Amino acid sequence: MSALLTAPQSPNLVQLHASLGLEDDALHDEVPAWLPVGGQHHLALRWFEPRRAWRAAALIAPATGVPQRFYAALARWMAARGYAVLTLDYAGLADSRAAMAEGASMRSWMLRDLPLALDAVQARARVAGVPVVWVGHSLGGHALPLQPSLAGVDAALCVGAQLPYFEHWPSAHQRWGARFFFRRYVPAWVRWTGRLPGVALGGGEDLPADAALDWSRWGQLPNYYLGDPDMAQRLCTRDWRGVAHFWCISDDWVFGPERAVQALVDAFASAPGRAEMRRLHPRDIGQRRVGHFAPFARHVGERLWPSWFDELEAAVPALRARR
């Protein structure tokens, strides 16, 4: 790996490729991998590795029911910027469908799958001598404060990440809709089909029953999983010493209303590190809509990612030094 880390590269190659409208394929390698999670079961992973000196090692933690391929455009863009990026499919989903599918749950995704993936990223970061960055979308963001090795994360950028208790929606009809979703809609689908089909959510992967029922139960508890005593005792924010930016999208009212995002930021209130809300309105980037998923689509994301990462890197000296 040392040759990979020290291979000389023109410092202007990223800008040159961007100005010519070229793909970033020449700037990185994509390597599929598998992560053992017990017995014969493995999680499907993919590394996106820069061919020049690494700025940092990063984990992209997916949203509920979203396969890792959805984040490939961001991972390639980050790799072109010097980040070695790891993506994954949670157990029971997409290419990890066979990995303990019957026991796959939101709890195990946050307390087993993501800690194992983060360990892999931190191991590579130690060898390369670079900082560690967490990029979380929705569930992938609200899993951040539960990570046992949180002290080893230097920076985090979370999008649409929240603690989605139904009372956090702003209007009465939205609160009614969220409460109906968690209390009636999700359990009814699980009873009927044995899972929560992607079609019931408007797209995405089918959720295993245990994952869907975790979502249903926590969504009815004040402060979501923090209302579950077993989960609350696993909170590791006392170990947070990095910088975290939580991006709230103004038209993400279905999954990420501001009060729900703020509740997650508040979970870091006593942490020695920083956790800050950031707000985006679609008009800030000349868009009519952005919502919960478009920030990871290339045609929208390329208007967002440079400023988001510029801001994060400016706040974290270790990332600035690698630029």
Side-chain angles (χ1 to χ4, degrees):
M1 188 169 66
S2 58
L4 173 66
L5 296 176
T6 58
Q9 195 80 256
S10 164
N12 295 317
L13 194 57
V14 175
Q15 292 90 333
L16 177 62
H17 277 237
S19 67
L20 295 176
L22 301 178
E23 295 294 329
D24 298 329
D25 296 345
L27 305 178
H28 73 280
D29 295 305
E30 297 184 19
V31 183
W34 296 89
L35 181 66
V37 289
Q40 300 299 310
H41 301 289
H42 296 77
L43 298 180
L45 312 176
R46 183 168 290 271
W47 279 103
F48 298 77
E49 299 180 348
R51 292 182 179 176
R52 59 190 177 100
W54 293 8
R55 180 201 298 265
L59 174 65
I60 296 181
T64 300
V66 180
Q68 63 178 320
R69 62 181 179 272
F70 181 73
Y71 303 99
L74 172 60
R76 291 175 183 131
W77 182 91
M78 290 176 64
R81 198 174 174 101
Y83 291 82
V85 181
L86 182 66
T87 64
L88 77 153
D89 286 318
Y90 296 130
L93 299 180
D95 291 339
S96 299
R97 187 173 298 279
M100 297 182 176
E102 293 185 2
S105 64
M106 284 192 172
R107 188 180 189 279
S108 67
W109 295 344
M110 294 192 289
L111 300 181
R112 183 197 63 197
D113 296 5
L114 286 172
L116 286 171
L118 181 57
D119 286 348
V121 170
Q122 290 174 326
R124 298 288 292 274
R126 284 192 294 272
V127 172
V130 296
V132 173
V133 176
W134 178 287
V135 178
H137 181 206
S138 201
L139 176 143
H142 69 235
L144 177 64
L146 297 170
Q147 302 309 301
S149 55
L150 188 61
V153 179
D154 299 279
L157 192 156
C158 300
V159 183
Q162 70 302 78
L163 292 177
Y165 170 47
F166 75 87
E167 287 285 357
H168 287 153
W169 270 257
S171 68
H173 78 274
Q174 289 171 341
R175 289 192 294 273
W176 181 91
R179 186 172 186 175
F180 174 79
F181 176 83
F182 289 125
R183 181 170 292 183
R184 304 293 183 191
Y185 187 79
V186 172
W189 273 104
V190 172
R191 286 194 300 270
W192 184 27
T193 66
R195 62 191 189 282
L196 182 59
V199 68
L201 299 172
E205 296 282 316
D206 292 356
L207 298 191
D210 288 345
L213 293 176
D214 279 346
W215 201 13
S216 169
R217 180 167 58 88
W218 291 337
Q220 300 175 63
L221 298 177
N223 266 348
Y224 196 60
Y225 64 66
L226 293 182
D228 179 333
D230 179 65
M231 297 294 288
Q233 70 178 357
R234 297 174 183 274
L235 199 66
C236 297
T237 50
R238 64 186 178 280
D239 299 327
W240 178 247
R241 292 174 175 80
V243 175
H245 292 171
F246 291 88
W247 283 93
C248 178
I249 314 298
S250 66
D251 65 334
D252 184 13
W253 61 268
V254 174
F255 294 103
E258 184 167 325
R259 284 181 59 194
V261 177
Q262 186 63 54
L264 179 58
V265 176
D266 290 344
F268 289 83
S270 60
R274 291 162 51 191
E276 302 168 352
M277 169 88 79
R278 294 287 189 273
R279 296 173 178 83
L280 176 83
H281 192 284
R283 66 170 173 262
D284 297 339
I285 56 168
Q287 295 289 116
R288 294 183 62 186
R289 287 194 59 89
V290 173
H292 196 61
F293 296 102
F296 297 93
R298 185 167 184 167
H299 71 286
V300 173
E302 287 185 340
R303 301 184 182 195
L304 297 173
W305 304 333
S307 61
W308 284 2
F309 278 84
D310 282 349
E311 202 170 326
L312 188 67
E313 290 159 8
V316 180
L319 293 177
R320 292 203 303 272
R322 291 276 166 176
R323 187 154 187 174

